[in-house]
Amino acid sequence: MVLTISRYLLAEDALTLDWTSVLSNIALLTLMCIALFAAGAWISGLYRHRYIVGSLDEVRTLTVVTFAVWLVFGIVVLATVAIPRSVVLAVFPTVLLLMGGVRLTYRQFVERRVGPGSSAIPVLLFGAGELGHSVVRQMLVDPFSEFRPVGFIDDDPRKKNFVVGGQKVLGTSKDLARVVEQTGAEGLVVSVARADSALLRDLHDQTDALGIRMLVFPSINEALSQKRTTASLRDVSVDDLVGRHPAEIDLSSVAGYLSGKRVLVTGAGGSIGSELCRQIHKFGPAELFMLDRDESGLHTTQMSIYGHGLLDTRDAVLTDIRDPDALKAVFQDRRPEVVFHAAALKHLPMLQQYPEEAWKTNVLGTLNVLHAALEVDVEQFVNISTDKAADPTSVLGHSKRMAERLTAWAAKQDGGTYVSVRFGNVLGSRGSMLPTFQAQIEKGGPVTVTHPDVTRYFMTIPEACELVVQAGAIGEDGQVMILDMGEPVRIMDVAQRMIEMSGKEVEIIFTGLRPGEKLHEDLFSVEEQASSPKHPRISHAPVEAKSPASLGYAEWAKTANVKPDPIIGDREPANPRQSDLPSGQDAEVGS
């Protein structure tokens, strides 16, 4: 500022100036400028190391401070010194450019001095977006980074020759082989924030053929609890290639019906129930009640949430949903406002052999939970269902379809909202496909597949539970909410991919479809008219209600194409007999 004014004064008439007065004014203006800027920079934190040098945050703060100082300084100068206004106006951009330039130059100098060492693996980054920009910067400024960026790959044609963090976009995924040869890259880092399983499978096929590593970040639900850094990178897993379906969650609507509420989850010791408990806990419910008849499952869930497994607090509830009196007593004592019903028997072949167990747990157990919820005026009730309930052909499917219809009946009895949520197989639960295949491969095989063309829908447990929680916020009374599971996956392809990734020679044998199994699953029944009015990943469909007054085992068994149990007969559903079988309380369905 002072330099600009001095030049103007000297240009006016250097011979007639009172140099003593000029120098005195310049000295006073200089001191005032320094004092004003020092005060502003100290208050804003520029001189207290609150910002990364050259960062957008620092530049933003620098702009505000410089403008404020220039405004005060300009008013003083114009009021005391006769100079053109254009000179004062030119001061602000000049000072900002000089000060900002110094900071950016310093940052560039520092970043060039550090960075990954010569032993770092050269990698390409797929995705030249915000995440890609962040990742490439972390690699370049971290002297301990295991990876060194050599360029970008991006399928957006508008980003051709685009430069991100000093690295150029060298082509699309179709050019991957050429770019790898050109750069000597030994790995591909997927830096797309919401990469789905179809994209990951395609990229993995290419990197596998080229003999280079493929690295990914944790899925979005895992990243919510920790910042994504280069340390988060890991080799791609089968879970990523099969079931990665990133969800977009409206946190405000979810928090609105969970925060400060008493929430109860049945089947809390199972795979789905335990993950629901973990996710619900993040939204700050007034109380979270975890109900199951499996004490070991409750212990594990309590440990994962609270860091202890004391099992001596009100949050852990040991109760069987087949026992209506005990269940009602729990509901009367805890008075839940929101209920997630995840307790169920899930294994299709087992229930084909023992259909009466599916009846007692999945049908009557659900009815018991509904009756208990109605008695305490639950505000929102979410029943976890399965894709087997769409045009069911198995005992499991018929029992879960009946649970959906009973939930729709309950919706007509009470002022609360009662909905069902339907989705396909989830990965990583007890007895599911991937752990089974992994165990078979580790033993040297064979890997058993029911049919070479069988397909299934897959989603990871956290991603499914995120959408379940969201569905509870937007569900309408009596409807079934159907989660978008992406494209169905061919089981044979999964088995072959897992064997290839293991590096072993393992045989695959076909065992044939079991009774009640479909070759291809459906998420929607033929007659269901579904729409997605509130969330692109969640469809709504009406459900025909079923009154408990007309509910009988003989009728249901006939519908499910199984023989009626002579012990159960057609007796009233209000008093189902108990069983000491292991709970298996989990909504995931085996493949």
Side-chain angles (χ1 to χ4, degrees):
M1 294 181 184
V2 176
L3 179 62
T4 305
I5 294 173
S6 300
R7 286 178 177 175
Y8 171 77
L9 292 174
L10 292 172
E12 277 293 291
D13 195 344
L15 297 176
T16 60
L17 285 176
D18 181 353
W19 284 98
T20 303
S21 177
V22 168
L23 293 174
S24 177
N25 286 338
I26 291 176
L28 288 173
L29 291 174
T30 301
L31 290 174
M32 185 181 73
C33 178
I34 293 173
L36 286 172
F37 195 88
W42 180 263
I43 294 171
S44 65
L46 281 174
Y47 289 168
R48 288 187 287 167
H49 305 290
R50 288 188 176 178
Y51 305 97
I52 297 174
V53 177
S55 67
L56 183 61
D57 290 330
E58 188 189 53
V59 171
R60 187 185 298 113
T61 304
L62 178 64
T63 302
V64 172
V65 172
T66 304
F67 179 80
V69 172
W70 167 78
L71 193 62
V72 174
F73 189 76
I75 293 172
V76 173
V77 170
L78 290 175
T80 58
V81 183
I83 61 174
R85 295 178 181 176
S86 58
V87 174
V88 177
L89 292 175
V91 168
F92 172 67
T94 302
V95 173
L96 185 62
L97 180 63
L98 289 173
M99 298 190 72
V102 169
R103 284 166 165 77
L104 290 174
T105 302
Y106 175 77
R107 176 172 176 168
Q108 188 73 10
F109 172 74
V110 170
E111 289 185 355
R112 287 184 179 276
R113 289 182 60 191
V114 298
S118 57
S119 61
I121 301 171
V123 295
L124 292 166
L125 289 90
F126 181 85
E130 288 296 328
L131 180 58
H133 181 233
S134 173
V135 172
V136 76
R137 281 210 64 260
Q138 290 177 35
M139 289 182 180
L140 291 173
V141 302
D142 183 3
F144 302 104
S145 174
E146 298 178 29
F147 309 102
R148 173 172 54 86
V150 293
F152 275 95
I153 294 288
D154 199 296
D155 283 341
D156 186 347
R158 295 172 298 179
K159 291 184 178 178
K160 184 179 181 181
N161 296 323
F162 196 61
V163 178
V164 179
Q167 301 297 317
K168 192 175 181 181
V169 176
L170 302 173
T172 67
S173 57
K174 295 180 181 179
D175 306 312
L176 185 58
R178 173 185 61 80
V179 175
V180 167
E181 183 177 359
Q182 172 187 334
T183 61
E186 299 176 16
L188 178 71
V189 174
V190 180
S191 54
V192 177
R194 296 185 177 275
D196 61 20
S197 54
L199 172 63
L200 294 178
R201 285 197 298 271
D202 180 61
L203 292 175
H204 184 258
D205 288 339
Q206 294 189 62
T207 56
D208 194 47
L210 293 170
I212 63 174
R213 292 176 65 184
M214 176 174 163
L215 300 116
V216 297
F217 285 98
S219 59
I220 191 67
N221 55 79
E222 297 174 88
L224 289 175
S225 58
Q226 59 181 354
K227 184 178 178 181
R228 282 177 170 176
T229 66
T230 53
S232 308
L233 282 171
R234 56 174 173 76
D235 289 299
V236 68
S237 68
V238 177
D239 287 37
D240 298 310
L241 303 177
V242 176
R244 193 174 171 120
H245 301 278
E248 296 180 2
I249 303 301
D250 181 359
L251 296 178
S252 60
S253 66
V254 171
Y257 87 103
L258 293 179
S259 298
K261 298 295 181 68
R262 297 183 299 277
V263 184
L264 184 144
V265 179
T266 71
S271 304
I272 293 293
S274 60
E275 180 61 26
L276 274 173
C277 290
R278 285 187 285 273
Q279 294 198 18
I280 291 167
H281 177 69
K282 297 176 183 178
F283 294 101
E287 291 184 278
L288 174 59
F289 304 115
M290 302 171 290
L291 185 150
D292 204 300
R293 68 179 181 184
D294 179 359
E295 58 182 349
S296 297
L298 285 175
H299 179 271
T300 302
T301 303
Q302 191 179 63
M303 278 289 295
S304 68
I305 296 175
Y306 300 107
H308 69 81
L310 299 176
L311 298 178
D312 60 352
T313 50
R314 279 171 52 88
D315 58 341
V317 184
L318 187 64
T319 302
D320 193 336
I321 65 169
R322 293 182 175 189
D323 186 341
D325 295 332
L327 198 60
K328 287 180 181 179
V330 169
F331 273 65
Q332 290 291 343
D333 178 54
R334 269 53 169 199
R335 311 294 296 186
E337 298 167 278
V338 181
V339 173
F340 289 87
H341 176 44
L345 294 176
K346 67 172 184 174
H347 289 290
L348 186 151
M350 182 68 75
L351 297 184
Q352 284 298 125
Q353 295 186 68
Y354 304 100
E356 65 278 6
E357 298 302 320
W359 165 260
K360 289 182 288 188
T361 295
N362 295 354
V363 179
L364 298 185
T366 297
L367 184 58
N368 291 337
V369 178
L370 288 168
H371 276 149
L374 289 169
E375 288 193 6
V376 297
D377 298 322
V378 165
E379 296 174 5
Q380 282 169 298
F381 185 101
V382 181
N383 168 50
I384 308 298
S385 189
T386 169
D387 59 354
K388 306 296 186 289
D391 292 329
T393 58
S394 63
V395 168
L396 171 62
H398 280 287
S399 67
K400 297 298 284 183
R401 179 62 177 173
M402 186 59 71
E404 291 181 356
R405 296 184 63 188
L406 290 170
T407 303
W409 165 82
K412 299 180 178 181
Q413 315 303 313
D414 189 75
T417 301
Y418 287 70
V419 301
S420 294
V421 179
R422 184 191 299 168
F423 53 91
N425 294 21
V426 294
L427 298 169
S429 65
R430 292 173 296 184
S432 61
M433 180 189 72
L434 293 189
T436 300
F437 283 178
Q438 188 64 44
Q440 290 175 333
I441 291 171
E442 288 176 357
K443 291 180 179 179
V447 170
T448 56
V449 178
T450 56
H451 191 282
D453 297 322
V454 68
T455 63
R456 292 291 181 266
Y457 291 98
F458 288 102
M459 184 178 282
T460 64
I461 295 173
E463 288 154 352
C465 289
E466 284 182 6
L467 285 173
V468 167
V469 171
Q470 178 73 75
I474 66 175
E476 297 180 8
D477 228 7
Q479 291 185 333
V480 59
M481 319 294 288
I482 302 142
L483 306 188
D484 176 14
M485 300 288 294
E487 294 298 319
V489 177
R490 187 167 170 258
I491 303 301
M492 180 66 173
D493 292 340
V494 177
Q496 290 175 332
R497 196 180 294 272
M498 289 185 70
I499 292 171
E500 290 172 3
M501 293 176 72
S502 73
K504 297 182 178 180
E505 293 290 335
V506 178
E507 181 187 7
I508 297 176
I509 62 173
F510 301 105
T511 58
L513 290 175
R514 295 163 291 188
E517 281 191 320
K518 297 179 182 178
L519 189 62
H520 308 291
E521 291 290 356
D522 301 302
L523 289 170
F524 304 90
S525 295
V526 174
E527 73 279 0
E528 286 178 336
Q529 300 296 320
S531 60
S532 302
K534 297 183 179 180
H535 193 287
R537 298 284 306 278
I538 303 174
S539 300
H540 302 233
V543 178
E544 180 186 359
K546 177 69 173 179
S547 171
S550 61
L551 185 65
Y553 178 76
E555 176 194 352
W556 175 82
K558 184 177 180 180
T559 304
N561 197 30
V562 295
K563 295 180 179 180
D565 188 320
I567 299 178
I568 296 178
D570 201 20
R571 69 187 185 182
E572 292 298 316
N575 297 296
R577 61 179 183 166
Q578 304 301 303
S579 172
D580 294 326
L581 291 177
S583 69
Q585 294 181 352
D586 183 341
E588 191 270 333
V589 181
S591 60

